[in-house]
Amino acid sequence: NAGVTQTPKFRVLKTGQSMTLLCAQDMNHEYMYWYRQDPGMGLRLIHYSVGEGTTAKGEVPDGYNVSRLKKQNFLLGLESAAPSQTSVYFCASSPGSGRGDNEQFFGPGTRLTVL
Amino acid sequence: AQKVTQAQTEISVVEKEDVTLDCVYETRDTTYYLFWYKQPPSGELVFLIRRNSFDEQNEISGRYSWNFQKSTSSFNFTITASQVVDSAVYFCALNNYGQNFVFGPGTRLSVLP
């Protein structure tokens, strides 16, 4: 089992460019999440999905879009990158009992710099 | 609204000292779950423990122990006889009866040899 993988690991963009981050999990988890981690702010939820074909906004969704066309994949898109989106992005998945008791399994992170 | 506060931004201790990381949470729900995660310098996030709101028993796992007190809305984490390998950022998180985790800002622990 690879667990949760993220592609790419590092990326540098220029302001206004677009890109897609890919998250894949092989644990057959229902729920998937995208977070960003900034110094002193912990992890903030961008978007999440409770199943294939469904997505929902988290705490900081502006400037991002997501898609969950396949259960194992969760894509995060930046349509027009801004320097404020410079961050480390983490994907996570969980079995999703609906009770909130499942821990999340995290990917290794993607370090994105927007110049 | 849910909130998790970790008032200690950074802590430095010398190896073999005991250290407690504080976590205070806010929620209006009666059913919720609390978590601790560790983020070592390599960057990955590692699950440490889960506790539900109906179980106030303290837990010990080796050198790690957790003290959950609903009366003070706290879920503190103690490392006994700290080691250099314990150096990491530690996050406390809260999840209610739903899908969303709320993470605290983290406490950076440095254990000096």
Side-chain angles (χ1 to χ4, degrees):
Chain A
N1 279 357
V4 180
T5 58
Q6 293 182 230
T7 308
K9 289 187 169 54
F10 302 93
R11 186 73 186 267
V12 178
L13 290 178
K14 294 182 180 178
T15 297
Q17 287 185 320
S18 63
M19 78 162 293
T20 300
L21 282 67
L22 171 63
C23 176
Q25 52 95 4
D26 61 2
M27 296 173 282
N28 201 34
H29 285 171
E30 289 294 329
Y31 293 5
M32 296 186 75
Y33 309 79
W34 275 108
Y35 292 91
R36 60 178 290 172
Q37 182 181 19
D38 302 293
M41 302 189 75
L43 286 93
R44 292 183 292 168
L45 183 65
I46 304 171
H47 286 279
Y48 65 98
S49 168
V50 299
E52 182 179 317
T54 72
T55 62
K57 294 180 180 180
E59 180 187 352
V60 288
D62 294 341
Y64 305 95
N65 57 73
V66 288
S67 64
R68 183 107 180 262
L69 299 179
K70 292 183 179 180
K71 185 177 183 178
Q72 63 268 33
N73 295 338
F74 195 29
L75 279 64
L76 177 71
L78 284 73
E79 294 171 343
S80 179
S84 60
Q85 294 178 303
T86 293
S87 188
V88 180
Y89 291 85
F90 285 96
C91 176
S93 70
S94 75
S97 68
R99 295 188 302 270
D101 59 338
N102 292 133
E103 73 266 27
Q104 297 184 333
F105 295 78
F106 284 85
T110 295
R111 185 173 294 277
L112 175 66
T113 301
V114 182
L115 303 175
Chain B
Q2 300 187 119
K3 185 178 178 181
V4 175
T5 301
Q6 294 178 257
Q8 304 148 307
T9 306
E10 293 191 35
I11 302 175
S12 286
V13 298
V14 176
E15 207 170 17
K16 297 184 183 174
E17 286 185 0
D18 299 346
V19 58
T20 296
L21 309 182
D22 298 332
C23 172
V24 174
Y25 62 91
E26 295 175 27
T27 180
R28 280 179 276 189
D29 297 304
T30 55
T31 302
Y32 52 89
Y33 296 85
L34 296 162
F35 301 78
W36 276 95
Y37 284 84
K38 174 182 180 180
Q39 186 178 40
S42 53
E44 76 273 23
L45 283 136
V46 178
F47 165 75
L48 295 177
I49 190 171
R50 167 187 51 240
R51 175 63 82 224
N52 75 57
S53 53
F54 298 108
D55 182 3
E56 288 193 71
Q57 272 194 327
N58 291 334
E59 178 149 346
I60 298 175
S61 177
R63 296 184 296 106
Y64 295 172
S65 62
W66 290 268
N67 179 257
F68 175 32
Q69 292 195 341
K70 283 179 79 169
S71 59
T72 55
S73 296
S74 65
F75 186 41
N76 296 338
F77 173 29
T78 296
I79 302 174
T80 303
S82 60
Q83 299 177 0
V84 173
V85 293
D86 296 325
S87 296
V89 180
Y90 291 87
F91 292 99
C92 181
L94 168 69
N95 195 356
N96 68 351
Y97 207 88
Q99 304 88 16
N100 291 347
F101 276 68
V102 175
F103 283 82
T107 296
R108 181 177 300 276
L109 173 66
S110 298
V111 181
L112 308 173

